[in-house]
């Protein structure tokens, strides 16, 4: 089954699921989502042994960690469930008994939609009582899991990041910069996106009709292409937003939005990186570690990959992390486009036991171990001190991260359209532009119409104004 059809099926399942979950209004409190017992930690956990299913990858929750948890909590059987978006949506739609109690998702781009549909349990009462989640110790990134019933970023907390990073930093290969005659940029001041394009063109090489080196790659965007995340970040740099204040419509016809759309259209056509127009067989990790890619838009977690990769770990000083680029005349915006974390499913039958697992996994020893690994940032101020600082490379990336934390923002994703739907619609109408089959203005018109229809339909479903 193609990705396109998988996404369409998932969208249908999501719509069907609402009526089953029974959300007739926005879920700003526990009242509409509360399970039958143990609401928000007010009741003691059951003494009966229960199974809690947690939706995580095998590399994120090991068998050893599960055994360690179960030894300390003999009343809970912890079962890890593989990540499968379509399967998850089907289980929610069917109100299945095996729907994961703890769901993994991207806090920045996915949580707002889950919250608007009432899929997330309000965890504020649990947080208020927790010895691990102290309000004064939480980094601002935790706000991506807040929801006030209408918009993310404020209100009660419904989840927490497992690990995260400001995702618009650049990682560069200094050797390729030197070969192209480009001075190594400052890691204190942001480059402009225009500079990034200029450097990306100089770094892209072609031999015998085949591209042998690329200048730029956005892994979460699949190469170089227009996507919602980049638009939100670049518009924020200019003090603009992608959606109207009431989240009723997308704004693509502003001068600032058009400039950004044309920027990525130019990036595809130049070309400066792999895209639908110029497919690349190698993935971004192989390209970067084999000296075939000059710059990547990627977060701090990539430093952990470089530390552990056999091709790079012996010469880490060849690489460098830079602040996120800014739009000309704009300001520095550091934000996460993922913020990988979790929520507790609003219909879990065992909220107290699910919280026991949640608190341990997101705030206990596993959180300490993740911070020490350097594969992502913790959600706690006190755990930032645990990230690696031994080598020159560690110290350089740590310094950039410290500056990032002083410029951190929450991007305003629209809670009434899913990130998956946005990606599908952008690709559907921008791909013909890349191939010269449509114009940017034509794509803007089609994208605007389709997205505004979906926003209205989703608002109608949840009863939002």
């Amino acid at each position: 089954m193609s990705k396109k059809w998988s996404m369409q099926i998932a969208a249908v399942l999501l719509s069907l699921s609402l009526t089953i979950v029974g959300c007739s209004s926005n879920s700003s409190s526990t009242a509409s989502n509360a399970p039958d017992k143990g609401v928000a930690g007010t009741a003691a956990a059951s003494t009966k042994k229960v199974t809690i299913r947690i939706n995580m990858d095998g590399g994120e929750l090991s068998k050893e960690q599960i055994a360690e948890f179960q030894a300390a909590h003999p009343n809970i059987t912890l079962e890890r469930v593989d990540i499968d978006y379509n399967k998850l949506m089907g289980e929610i739609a069917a109100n299945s008994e095996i729907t994961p109690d703890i769901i993994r998702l991207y806090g920045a781009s996915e949580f707002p939609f889950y919250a608007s549909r009432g899929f997330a349990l309000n965890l504020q009462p649990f947080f208020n009582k927790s010895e691990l989640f102290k309000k004064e110790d939480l980094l601002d990134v935790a706000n991506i899991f807040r929801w006030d019933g209408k918009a993310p970023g404020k209100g009660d907390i419904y989840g927490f990041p497992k690990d995260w990073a400001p995702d618009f930093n650049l990682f560069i290969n200094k050797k390729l910069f030197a070969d192209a005659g480009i001075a190594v940029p400052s890691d204190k001041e942001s480059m402009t996106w225009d500079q990034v394009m200029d450097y990306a063109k100089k770094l892209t090489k072609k031999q015998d009709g085949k591209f042998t080196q690329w200048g730029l790659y956005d892994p979460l965007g699949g190469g170089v292409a227009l996507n919602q995340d980049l638009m939100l970040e670049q518009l924020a740099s200019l003090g603009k937003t992608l959606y109207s204040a009431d989240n009723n419509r997308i704004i693509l016809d502003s001068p600032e939005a058009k400039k950004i759309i044309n920027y990525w259209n130019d990036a595809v056509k130049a070309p400066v990186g792999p895209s639908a127009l110029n497919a690349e067989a190698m993935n971004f990790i192989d390209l970067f570690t084999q000296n075939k890619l000059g710059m990547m838009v990627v977060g701090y977690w990539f430093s952990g990959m470089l530390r552990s990769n056999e091709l790079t770990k012996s010469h880490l000083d060849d690489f460098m992390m830079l602040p996120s680029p800014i739009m000309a005349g704009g300001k520095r915006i550091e934000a996460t486009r993922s913020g990988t974390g979790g929520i507790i499913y609003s219909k879990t039958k065992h909220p107290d036991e699910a919280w026991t697992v949640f608190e341990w996994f997101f705030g206990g020893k596993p959180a300490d171990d993740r911070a020490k690994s350097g594969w992502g940032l913790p959600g706690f101020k006190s755990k930032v001190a645990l990230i690696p600082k031994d080598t020159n490379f560690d110290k350089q990336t740590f310094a950039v991260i410290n500056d990032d934390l002083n410029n951190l923002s929450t991007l305003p994703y629209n809670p009434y359209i899913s990130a998956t739907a946005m990606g599908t619609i952008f690709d559907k109408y921008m791909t013909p532009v890349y191939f010269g089959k449509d114009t940017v203005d034509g794509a803007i018109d089609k994208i605007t119409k389709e997205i505004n229809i979906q926003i209205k339909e989703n608002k109608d479903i949840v009863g939002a104004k």
Side-chain angles (χ1 to χ4, degrees), residues 122-405:
N122 187 341
L123 301 182
Q124 190 64 57
F126 290 104
F127 272 71
N128 291 344
K129 295 181 177 181
S130 175
E131 292 296 320
L132 296 180
F133 292 94
K134 299 292 187 183
K135 182 179 179 181
E136 62 275 13
D137 191 31
L138 307 185
L139 288 170
D140 288 346
V141 69
N143 293 335
I144 61 177
F145 282 99
R146 293 190 182 275
W147 175 250
D148 68 355
K150 295 182 178 179
K154 52 187 178 181
D156 287 349
I157 192 163
Y158 285 72
F160 200 73
K162 174 179 66 68
D163 46 40
W164 70 283
D167 290 309
F168 300 95
N169 288 118
L170 291 176
F171 271 81
I172 69 168
N173 184 318
K174 292 193 288 187
K175 289 182 66 176
L176 298 189
F177 268 61
D179 292 344
I182 306 171
V184 173
S186 166
D187 64 355
K188 304 295 184 187
E189 302 292 334
S190 293
M191 290 193 289
T192 66
W193 280 102
D194 292 333
Q195 285 178 297
V196 171
M197 179 73 84
D198 181 42
Y199 291 169
K201 289 178 179 177
K202 293 177 180 176
L203 288 162
T204 299
K205 293 183 178 180
K206 193 173 187 180
Q207 185 175 0
D208 299 328
K210 181 180 179 182
F211 289 99
T212 57
Q213 181 176 301
W214 293 108
L216 183 64
Y217 201 116
D218 171 30
L220 288 178
V224 290
L226 177 71
N227 62 63
Q228 176 182 224
D229 300 333
L230 289 167
M231 280 209 77
L232 284 166
E233 195 272 346
Q234 290 176 305
L235 285 169
S237 176
L238 294 169
K240 303 294 182 180
T241 60
L242 184 57
Y243 300 101
S244 59
D246 55 10
N247 280 319
N248 278 342
R249 60 189 177 87
I250 191 168
I251 304 171
L252 294 178
D253 57 356
S254 69
E256 295 83 6
K258 282 189 172 182
K259 183 176 182 179
I260 293 168
I261 295 170
N262 280 305
Y263 180 95
W264 290 106
N265 184 38
D266 292 343
V268 170
K269 290 182 175 178
V272 298
S275 68
L277 191 59
N278 291 283
E280 169 58 61
M282 296 177 70
N283 64 47
F284 69 95
I285 294 176
D286 289 341
L287 286 170
F288 197 81
T289 56
Q290 295 179 30
N291 297 317
K292 295 179 179 180
L293 175 59
M295 294 184 287
M296 276 203 306
V297 183
V298 69
Y300 171 79
W301 66 267
F302 194 69
S303 69
M305 199 290 301
L306 293 175
R307 290 188 195 93
S308 62
N309 189 282
E310 292 297 327
L311 297 177
T312 56
K313 65 182 184 182
S314 64
H315 53 100
L316 291 172
D317 289 342
D318 287 346
F319 311 106
M320 190 174 182
M321 182 176 170
L322 303 179
S324 66
I326 62 173
M327 295 296 287
K331 64 177 182 179
R332 179 175 174 180
I333 296 291
E334 301 293 351
T336 181
R337 61 201 288 188
S338 51
T340 305
I343 59 173
I344 294 180
Y345 180 41
S346 59
K347 290 296 181 181
T348 178
K349 293 183 177 179
H350 310 291
D352 292 308
E353 290 82 0
W355 170 253
T356 298
V357 175
F358 188 99
E359 186 179 41
W360 163 78
F361 183 72
F362 290 97
K365 184 175 180 298
D368 292 349
D369 293 341
R370 288 192 295 271
K372 292 174 184 175
S373 74
W375 276 83
L377 299 176
F380 301 86
K381 297 175 184 176
S382 58
K383 298 187 193 299
V384 171
L386 299 177
I387 68 176
K389 296 184 289 293
D390 295 332
T391 68
N392 289 335
F393 178 72
D394 293 339
K395 292 171 184 174
Q396 192 273 320
T397 54
F398 184 72
V400 174
I401 282 299
N402 270 324
D403 288 344
D404 283 355
L405 294 177

Side-chain angles (χ1 to χ4, degrees), residues 404-457:
D404 283 355
L405 294 177
N406 292 325
N407 293 278
L408 197 62
S409 298
T410 300
L411 296 179
Y413 287 87
N414 191 316
Y416 302 107
I417 187 163
S418 71
T420 300
M422 286 294 297
T424 301
I425 295 170
F426 269 45
D427 290 345
K428 176 181 177 181
Y429 293 115
M430 284 303 297
T431 300
V433 178
Y434 302 148
F435 282 88
K437 303 295 185 183
D438 199 356
T439 64
V440 167
D441 286 339
I444 287 174
D445 184 58
K446 297 179 181 75
I447 293 171
T448 300
K449 287 179 180 176
E450 186 159 338
I451 287 177
N452 286 347
I453 288 172
Q454 290 209 19
I455 288 173
K456 184 179 185 307
E457 289 177 348

